[in-house]
Amino acid sequence: AQEGEIIMVGKARGSRQGNNLLRQLVEKSGGINFEKPFCLAYSGLSDAMLQKYIVDSAELWEGKTETLPIATVGCTIGTHAGPGAVAVAFFAKN
């Protein structure tokens, strides 16, 4: 979100390119501040794409947190994202 508005930050085709783009955006922002709240989320009925992202992006959280909070994306955002979307909500390190 930017100034309270949800914006699209990029598009990628396929889970590998999507995972790479999301990981790059997290790293570009300065990384996750694990002292503040954070959450991973997915849309649809299956968390398979999120589980793949967790494994593919392990360097973002391994050794930095013991648990990864996971939620489902609500219907308003999920309708626009479609099933299989992955989201990471966090405060960046400063």
Side-chain angles (χ1 to χ4, degrees), residues 32-40 50-51 54 58 60-71 88-89:
I32 300 169
N33 182 343
F34 291 100
E35 294 178 8
K36 294 188 177 185
F38 68 97
C39 187
L40 305 175
L50 176 61
Q51 294 303 323
I54 289 170
L60 293 175
W61 32 74
E62 273 188 350
K64 299 170 186 162
T65 184
E66 295 196 17
T67 61
L68 294 173
I70 296 175
V88 181

Side-chain angles (χ1 to χ4, degrees), residues 17-46:
Q17 288 182 5
N19 286 352
N20 286 340
L21 176 61
L22 187 53
R23 187 173 54 251
Q24 288 170 6
L25 290 169
V26 170
E27 291 170 347
K28 183 179 175 182
S29 73
I32 300 169
N33 182 343
F34 291 100
E35 294 178 8
K36 294 188 177 185
F38 68 97
C39 187
L40 305 175
Y42 65 95
S43 65
L45 300 175
S46 169

